[in-house]
């Protein structure tokens, strides 16, 4: 298992074996995807969208309907539009 240490500036050098496994090269971007259990997956942006399929699947939890997804998006948009409106 590879490990890395964060600098005081919040920077981490990705170990060589991890860079090779993920196909990272200078200039590559990575996404930090928060999973339902609170852990994170590091996903290279060099991959295909299909690589993300099933990442957030929770066995036993039914998939949301289109209506539920649209409601959640609308609610999130309304909340973000209200930020900074206090006082």
């Amino acid at each position: 298992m590879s490990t890395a240490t964060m600098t005081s500036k919040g920077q981490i050098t990705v170990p060589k074996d991890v860079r090779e496994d993920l196909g990272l090269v200078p200039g590559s971007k990575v996404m930090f995807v928060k999973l339902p259990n609170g852990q994170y997956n590091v996903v290279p942006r060099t991959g295909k969208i299909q690589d993300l399929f099933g990442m957030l699947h929770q066995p036993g939890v039914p998939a949301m309907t289109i209506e539920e997804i649209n409601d959640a998006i609308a609610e999130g948009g309304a909340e973000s539009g209200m930020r900074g409106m206090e006082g």
Side-chain angles (χ1 to χ4, degrees), residues 35-78:
L35 303 176
N37 65 5
Q39 295 180 339
Y40 282 83
N41 271 357
V42 178
V43 181
R45 294 264 323 258
T46 57
K48 300 178 185 97
I49 191 69
Q50 290 86 355
D51 296 340
L52 301 175
F53 181 76
M55 181 181 295
L56 301 177
H57 175 69
Q58 296 180 34
V61 177
M64 294 174 72
T65 66
I66 294 296
E67 291 78 17
E68 291 170 326
I69 292 170
N70 287 339
D71 289 346
I73 291 170
E75 184 178 315

Side-chain angles (χ1 to χ4, degrees), residues 9-38:
K9 293 183 179 183
Q11 299 172 336
I12 295 175
T13 298
V14 179
K16 184 176 189 251
D17 60 325
V18 176
R19 291 191 311 263
E20 290 174 349
D21 287 346
L22 295 176
L24 299 175
V25 295
S28 293
K29 297 195 181 286
V30 296
M31 295 185 303
F32 297 91
V33 181
K34 189 171 185 177
L35 303 176
N37 65 5

